[in-house]
Amino acid sequence: MESHVTRDPLTGLLLLAALAALVAGLILPALTIEKFWVFENSKSIGGAILALFAKGQILLGLVVTTFSILFPLAKLILTLRIWMAPDITAPGVQQAIRWTVTLGKWSMLDVFMAAIVVATLTLGMIASVTTDIGLYIFGGSIVLAMLAAHRLEGRLAEALGGR
C-alpha cells in the first residue's frame, strides 16, 4: 500500500494569505509619527528600511531587512516547498518541517522590533507614534505562516502514525 499523503488545501491557503499579507504589511503604512500636533508622517516597514539606508544607518538597515523581509520570506518559501513536496514523510522534508516550526518561534521578533520602535519613538509632547494597519497585517502574516507550519507538522505526525 502506498503511504501517499494528500496536500492539505487549508495549509496552502494559509501560506498564500501569509505571503499576500507579508507584501501588504511591508508596503502599507505601519507607523504614523505626529510632531507638535501639526506635522504627520506615515512610514511603511519597507519605507522605514529605505530611510535607514538613506540616512547611512547601514547596519541597522541590514538587521531590519533581514528580520522583516528576508527571514519571513525565506521561511514562507521553505514552507511552500514543503507543502508542495510529493512525500511529506521523506527524511529531508521531515527535517525541513521541524526547522520551519522552530524558526517560526523567532518570527515574532519582527513584531517585537516594531513594538520597540513605537515605544522608543514615543517622545511625549514632542512627538507621538501610533501604529497603522500595515503593522497589524505584517503581524498577521507571521501568525498565518506559523499556523501553516504547525499544520504541516501535524500532517507529518499523522503520516508517520503519531510518532
Side-chain angles (χ1 to χ4, degrees):
M1 234 174 150
E2 189 176 315
S3 65
H4 178 71
V5 178
T6 59
R7 286 189 191 101
D8 176 24
L10 180 57
T11 301
L13 287 173
L14 285 170
L15 289 169
L16 291 176
L19 185 58
L22 177 63
V23 171
L26 291 171
I27 295 171
L28 291 172
L31 302 171
T32 298
I33 303 168
E34 184 180 337
K35 297 177 186 175
F36 300 113
W37 303 281
V38 178
F39 303 106
E40 200 172 276
N41 187 13
S42 292
K43 286 279 187 199
S44 65
I45 294 171
I49 291 169
L50 292 174
L52 286 171
F53 285 117
K55 291 182 179 182
Q57 299 290 329
I58 305 300
L59 182 59
L60 185 56
L62 288 172
V63 169
V64 175
T65 299
T66 299
F67 285 102
S68 296
I69 297 175
L70 300 177
F71 186 77
L73 190 59
K75 193 171 94 45
L76 268 175
I77 290 169
L78 177 63
T79 309
L80 270 167
R81 290 195 58 168
I82 293 166
W83 180 73
M84 293 172 32
D87 182 12
I88 197 170
T89 61
V93 176
Q94 290 180 42
Q95 186 64 22
I97 290 172
R98 288 186 187 98
W99 269 102
T100 58
V101 171
T102 301
L103 292 175
K105 295 171 185 168
W106 286 92
S107 293
M108 292 310 286
L109 179 62
D110 309 329
V111 179
F112 179 68
M113 282 178 52
I116 288 176
V117 168
V118 170
T120 303
L121 292 177
T122 303
L123 304 173
M125 296 180 73
I126 298 172
S128 68
V129 179
T130 56
T131 56
D132 284 327
I133 190 71
L135 188 61
Y136 297 108
I137 292 174
F138 181 80
S141 168
I142 304 292
V143 171
L144 289 171
M146 289 172 69
L147 287 172
H150 282 286
R151 285 186 64 84
L152 283 171
E153 186 179 43
R155 301 277 298 165
L156 173 63
E158 177 185 302
L160 293 175
R163 280 194 276 164

